[in-house]
Coordinates of all heavy atoms in Angstrom, one line a residue:
E195 N 99.9 96.8 103.7 CA 101.3 97.2 103.1 C 101.8 98.5 103.7 O 103.0 98.7 103.8 CB 101.1 97.3 101.7 CG 101.0 95.9 100.9 CD 102.3 95.2 101.3 OE1 103.4 95.7 101.1 OE2 102.2 94.0 101.5
Q196 N 100.9 99.3 104.3 CA 101.4 100.6 104.9 C 102.2 100.4 106.1 O 102.8 101.3 106.6 CB 100.4 101.7 105.1 CG 99.6 102.0 103.8 CD 100.3 102.3 102.5 OE1 101.1 103.2 102.6 NE2 100.2 101.5 101.5
K197 N 102.1 99.2 106.7 CA 102.7 99.1 108.0 C 104.0 98.5 107.7 O 104.8 98.1 108.8 CB 101.8 98.0 108.7 CG 100.6 98.6 109.4 CD 100.9 99.7 110.4 CE 99.6 100.3 111.1 NZ 99.4 99.5 112.3
R198 N 104.5 98.3 106.5 CA 105.8 98.0 106.2 C 106.5 98.7 105.1 O 105.6 99.2 104.2 CB 105.8 96.3 105.8 CG 104.8 96.1 104.7 CD 104.8 94.5 104.5 NE 106.0 94.0 103.9 CZ 106.4 92.8 104.0 NH1 105.7 91.9 104.7 NH2 107.5 92.5 103.3
L199 N 107.6 99.0 105.1 CA 108.2 99.8 104.1 C 109.5 99.2 103.6 O 110.4 98.7 104.2 CB 108.7 101.2 104.7 CG 109.0 102.2 103.8 CD1 107.7 102.7 103.1 CD2 109.6 103.5 104.5
N200 N 109.6 99.3 102.1 CA 110.6 98.7 101.4 C 111.4 99.9 100.8 O 111.0 101.0 100.6 CB 110.2 97.9 100.2 CG 109.5 96.7 100.7 OD1 108.1 96.8 101.1 ND2 110.1 95.5 100.6
A201 N 112.6 99.7 100.6 CA 113.7 100.8 100.1 C 113.1 101.2 98.7 O 113.1 100.3 97.8 CB 115.0 100.3 100.3
P202 N 112.8 102.5 98.5 CA 112.4 103.1 97.2 C 113.5 103.0 96.2 O 113.3 103.1 95.0 CB 112.0 104.4 97.5 CG 112.7 104.9 98.7 CD 112.9 103.6 99.5
T203 N 114.9 102.9 96.8 CA 116.1 102.9 95.9 C 117.2 102.4 96.6 O 117.0 102.1 97.9 CB 116.3 104.3 95.5 OG1 117.4 104.3 94.4 CG2 116.7 105.2 96.5
S204 N 118.2 102.1 95.9 CA 119.4 101.5 96.6 C 120.2 102.6 97.2 O 120.1 103.8 96.7 CB 120.3 100.6 95.6 OG 120.7 101.5 94.6
G205 N 120.9 102.4 98.2 CA 121.8 103.5 98.9 C 122.2 103.2 100.3 O 122.0 102.0 100.8
L206 N 122.7 104.1 100.9 CA 123.3 103.9 102.2 C 122.2 104.2 103.3 O 121.5 105.3 103.2 CB 124.5 104.9 102.6 CG 124.9 105.1 103.9 CD1 125.7 103.8 104.3 CD2 125.9 106.2 103.8
V207 N 122.1 103.4 104.4 CA 121.2 103.6 105.5 C 122.0 104.5 106.3 O 122.9 104.1 107.1 CB 120.8 102.4 106.1 CG1 120.0 102.7 107.5 CG2 120.0 101.6 105.3
Y208 N 121.7 105.8 106.3 CA 122.5 106.8 107.0 C 122.3 106.8 108.6 O 123.2 107.0 109.3 CB 122.3 108.3 106.6 CG 123.2 109.3 107.0 CD1 124.5 109.3 106.3 CD2 122.9 110.1 108.0 CE1 125.3 110.4 106.8 CE2 123.8 111.1 108.5 CZ 125.1 111.2 107.8 OH 126.0 112.1 108.2
D209 N 121.0 106.5 108.9 CA 120.6 106.4 110.3 C 119.3 105.7 110.5 O 118.6 105.6 109.5 CB 120.7 107.9 110.9 CG 120.8 107.7 112.5 OD1 121.0 106.6 113.1 OD2 120.7 108.9 113.2
T210 N 119.1 105.2 111.7 CA 117.7 104.6 112.0 C 117.4 105.5 113.3 O 118.2 105.6 114.2 CB 118.0 103.1 112.5 OG1 118.8 102.9 113.4 CG2 118.2 102.2 111.2
L211 N 116.1 105.9 113.2 CA 115.6 106.8 114.2 C 114.8 106.3 115.3 O 114.4 107.0 116.1 CB 114.9 107.9 113.3 CG 115.7 108.5 112.3 CD1 114.8 109.5 111.6 CD2 117.0 109.2 112.7
F212 N 114.5 104.9 115.2 CA 113.7 104.3 116.3 C 114.3 102.9 116.7 O 114.9 102.3 115.8 CB 112.3 104.2 115.9 CG 111.5 105.6 116.0 CD1 111.4 106.4 114.9 CD2 110.6 105.8 117.1 CE1 110.5 107.4 114.9 CE2 109.9 106.9 117.2 CZ 109.8 107.7 116.1
R213 N 114.1 102.5 117.8 CA 114.5 101.1 118.2 C 113.2 100.2 118.2 O 112.1 100.6 118.2 CB 115.0 101.2 119.6 CG 116.4 101.9 119.7 CD 116.9 101.8 121.1 NE 118.2 102.5 121.3 CZ 118.2 103.8 121.7 NH1 117.2 104.5 121.9 NH2 119.4 104.4 121.8
Q214 N 113.6 98.9 117.9 CA 112.4 97.9 117.8 C 111.8 97.9 119.2 O 112.2 97.9 120.2 CB 113.2 96.6 117.7 CG 112.1 95.5 117.1 CD 112.8 94.3 116.6 OE1 113.6 94.4 115.5 NE2 112.7 93.2 117.0
G215 N 110.4 97.9 119.0 CA 109.5 97.9 120.2 C 109.0 99.3 120.6 O 108.0 99.3 121.4
E216 N 109.5 100.3 120.0 CA 109.1 101.7 120.3 C 107.9 102.0 119.4 O 107.7 101.4 118.5 CB 110.1 102.6 120.1 CG 111.3 102.6 121.0 CD 112.4 103.8 120.8 OE1 112.6 104.0 119.5 OE2 113.1 104.2 121.7
W217 N 107.1 102.9 120.0 CA 105.8 103.4 119.2 C 106.2 104.5 118.2 O 106.9 105.4 118.6 CB 104.8 104.0 120.2 CG 103.6 104.4 119.5 CD1 103.3 105.8 119.1 CD2 102.5 103.7 119.2 NE1 102.0 105.9 118.6 CE2 101.5 104.6 118.6 CE3 102.2 102.3 119.2 CZ2 100.3 104.1 118.0 CZ3 101.0 101.9 118.6 CH2 100.1 102.8 118.1
V218 N 105.8 104.3 117.0 CA 106.1 105.2 116.0 C 104.8 105.8 115.6 O 103.9 105.3 115.2 CB 106.7 104.6 114.7 CG1 107.1 105.6 113.7 CG2 108.0 103.7 115.2
S219 N 104.9 107.3 115.7 CA 103.6 108.0 115.2 C 103.5 108.0 113.7 O 104.5 107.9 113.1 CB 103.7 109.4 115.8 OG 103.6 109.4 117.3
A220 N 102.3 108.3 113.2 CA 102.1 108.3 111.7 C 102.9 109.3 111.1 O 102.9 110.6 111.5 CB 100.6 108.5 111.5
G221 N 103.7 109.0 110.1 CA 104.5 110.0 109.4 C 105.9 110.3 109.9 O 106.7 111.0 109.3
N222 N 106.1 109.7 111.1 CA 107.6 109.8 111.7 C 108.6 108.9 111.0 O 108.3 107.8 110.9 CB 107.5 109.5 113.2 CG 107.3 110.7 114.0 OD1 106.7 111.7 113.6 ND2 107.6 110.6 115.3
P223 N 109.7 109.6 110.5 CA 110.7 108.7 109.8 C 111.3 107.8 110.8 O 111.6 108.1 112.0 CB 111.7 109.7 109.4 CG 110.9 111.1 109.4 CD 110.0 111.0 110.5
V224 N 111.4 106.5 110.2 CA 112.1 105.4 110.9 C 113.4 105.2 110.4 O 114.4 105.0 111.2 CB 111.3 104.1 110.8 CG1 112.0 103.0 111.5 CG2 109.9 104.4 111.4
V225 N 113.7 105.4 109.1 CA 115.0 105.3 108.4 C 115.4 106.4 107.7 O 114.6 107.0 107.0 CB 115.0 104.0 107.5 CG1 116.3 103.8 106.8 CG2 114.7 102.7 108.4
Q226 N 116.6 106.9 107.8 CA 117.1 107.9 107.0 C 118.2 107.4 106.0 O 119.2 106.7 106.5 CB 117.9 108.9 107.9 CG 118.5 110.2 107.3 CD 119.2 111.1 108.2 OE1 119.3 110.8 109.4 NE2 119.7 112.2 107.7
M227 N 118.0 107.5 104.8 CA 118.8 107.1 103.6 C 119.3 108.1 102.9 O 118.8 109.1 102.7 CB 117.8 106.1 102.7 CG 117.6 104.7 103.1 SD 116.9 103.8 101.7 CE 118.2 103.8 100.6
L228 N 120.5 107.6 102.3 CA 121.2 108.6 101.3 C 121.5 107.8 100.0 O 122.5 107.0 100.0 CB 122.5 109.1 102.0 CG 123.4 110.1 101.1 CD1 122.6 111.3 100.7 CD2 124.7 110.5 101.8
P229 N 120.8 107.9 99.1 CA 121.1 107.2 97.7 C 122.2 107.9 97.1 O 122.5 109.0 97.2 CB 119.8 107.3 96.9 CG 118.7 107.8 97.9 CD 119.3 108.5 99.0
P230 N 123.0 107.2 96.3 CA 124.3 107.8 95.8 C 123.9 108.9 94.7 O 124.5 109.9 94.6 CB 124.9 106.6 94.9 CG 123.9 105.6 94.9 CD 123.0 105.8 96.1
E231 N 122.8 108.8 94.1 CA 122.4 110.0 93.3 C 121.9 111.2 93.8 O 121.8 112.2 93.3 CB 121.2 109.4 92.3 CG 119.8 109.0 93.0 CD 119.8 107.6 93.5 OE1 120.9 106.9 93.4 OE2 118.6 107.1 93.6
N232 N 121.8 111.2 95.2 CA 121.5 112.3 96.1 C 122.7 112.9 96.7 O 122.6 113.9 97.5 CB 120.5 112.0 97.2 CG 119.1 111.8 96.6 OD1 118.9 111.6 95.5 ND2 118.1 111.9 97.4
V233 N 123.8 112.5 96.3 CA 125.1 113.1 96.7 C 125.5 114.1 95.7 O 125.4 113.9 94.5 CB 126.2 112.0 97.0 CG1 127.5 112.8 97.3 CG2 125.8 110.9 98.0
K234 N 126.0 115.2 96.3 CA 126.4 116.4 95.4 C 127.6 117.1 96.0 O 127.9 117.0 97.2 CB 125.2 117.4 95.2 CG 124.6 117.9 96.4 CD 123.4 118.8 96.1 CE 122.7 119.3 97.4 NZ 121.5 120.0 97.1
I235 N 128.3 117.9 95.2 CA 129.5 118.6 95.5 C 128.9 120.1 95.6 O 128.4 120.6 94.5 CB 130.7 118.3 94.5 CG1 131.0 116.9 94.4 CG2 131.8 119.3 94.9 CD1 131.5 116.3 95.7
R236 N 129.3 120.7 96.6 CA 128.8 122.3 96.7 C 130.0 123.1 96.9 O 130.8 122.8 97.9 CB 127.8 122.3 97.8 CG 127.3 123.9 98.1 CD 126.3 123.9 99.2 NE 125.0 123.2 98.7 CZ 123.9 123.0 99.5 NH1 124.0 123.3 100.8 NH2 122.8 122.7 99.0
F237 N 130.2 123.9 95.9 CA 131.5 124.8 96.1 C 131.0 126.2 95.7 O 129.9 126.5 95.2 CB 132.6 124.3 95.2 CG 132.3 124.3 93.7 CD1 132.7 125.1 92.9 CD2 131.5 123.2 93.1 CE1 132.4 125.2 91.5 CE2 131.3 123.1 91.8 CZ 131.7 124.1 90.9
F238 N 132.0 127.1 95.9 CA 131.7 128.6 95.7 C 132.6 129.2 94.7 O 133.9 129.1 94.8 CB 131.8 129.3 97.2 CG 130.8 128.6 98.1 CD1 131.1 127.5 98.8 CD2 129.5 129.2 98.2 CE1 130.3 126.9 99.6 CE2 128.6 128.6 99.1 CZ 129.0 127.6 99.8
V239 N 132.1 129.9 93.8 CA 132.8 130.6 92.8 C 132.8 132.0 92.8 O 131.7 132.6 93.0 CB 132.3 130.1 91.4 CG1 133.1 130.8 90.2 CG2 132.4 128.6 91.2
P240 N 133.8 132.8 92.7 CA 133.8 134.3 92.8 C 133.0 134.9 91.7 O 132.8 134.3 90.7 CB 135.3 134.7 92.7 CG 136.0 133.5 93.2 CD 135.2 132.4 92.7
E241 N 132.4 136.0 92.0 CA 131.5 136.8 91.1 C 132.0 136.9 89.7 O 131.4 136.7 88.7 CB 131.0 138.0 91.7 CG 130.0 138.7 90.9 CD 130.5 139.7 89.9 OE1 131.8 140.1 90.2 OE2 129.9 139.9 88.9
P242 N 133.4 137.4 89.6 CA 133.9 137.6 88.2 C 133.9 136.3 87.3 O 133.9 136.5 86.1 CB 135.3 138.1 88.4 CG 135.3 138.6 89.8 CD 134.4 137.7 90.5
L243 N 133.9 135.1 88.0 CA 134.0 133.9 87.0 C 132.7 133.2 86.8 O 132.7 132.3 86.1 CB 135.2 133.0 87.8 CG 136.5 133.4 88.1 CD1 137.3 132.4 88.8 CD2 137.2 133.8 86.8
I244 N 131.7 133.7 87.5 CA 130.4 132.9 87.4 C 129.8 133.0 86.0 O 128.9 132.1 85.7 CB 129.5 133.5 88.5 CG1 128.3 132.5 88.7 CG2 128.8 134.8 88.1 CD1 128.8 131.2 89.5
G245 N 130.0 134.0 85.3 CA 129.5 134.1 83.9 C 129.9 133.0 83.1 O 129.3 132.6 82.1
G246 N 131.0 132.4 83.3 CA 131.5 131.3 82.4 C 131.1 129.9 82.7 O 131.5 129.1 81.9
I247 N 130.3 129.8 83.7 CA 129.9 128.4 84.3 C 128.5 128.1 83.6 O 127.6 128.9 83.7 CB 129.8 128.4 85.8 CG1 131.3 128.6 86.4 CG2 129.3 127.2 86.3 CD1 131.3 128.6 87.8
R248 N 128.4 126.9 83.1 CA 127.1 126.5 82.5 C 126.7 125.2 83.0 O 127.6 124.3 83.5 CB 127.4 126.3 81.0 CG 127.7 127.6 80.2 CD 126.6 128.5 80.2 NE 126.9 129.7 79.4 CZ 127.2 130.9 80.0 NH1 127.6 130.9 81.3 NH2 127.6 131.9 79.2

Side-chain angles (χ1 to χ4, degrees):
E195 284 300 314
Q196 302 315 298
K197 288 301 190 77
R198 49 188 290 154
L199 195 70
N200 299 81
T203 183
S204 60
L206 170 70
V207 176
Y208 193 79
D209 201 359
T210 56
L211 308 176
F212 284 87
R213 295 183 179 89
Q214 196 164 297
E216 291 183 326
W217 179 263
V218 182
S219 300
N222 268 18
V224 176
V225 174
Q226 182 182 2
M227 272 190 68
L228 180 60
E231 61 268 22
N232 286 16
V233 174
K234 57 189 177 182
I235 305 297
R236 182 174 285 174
F237 61 101
F238 300 86
V239 177
E241 185 273 336
L243 303 178
I244 197 66
I247 294 179
R248 297 289 181 268

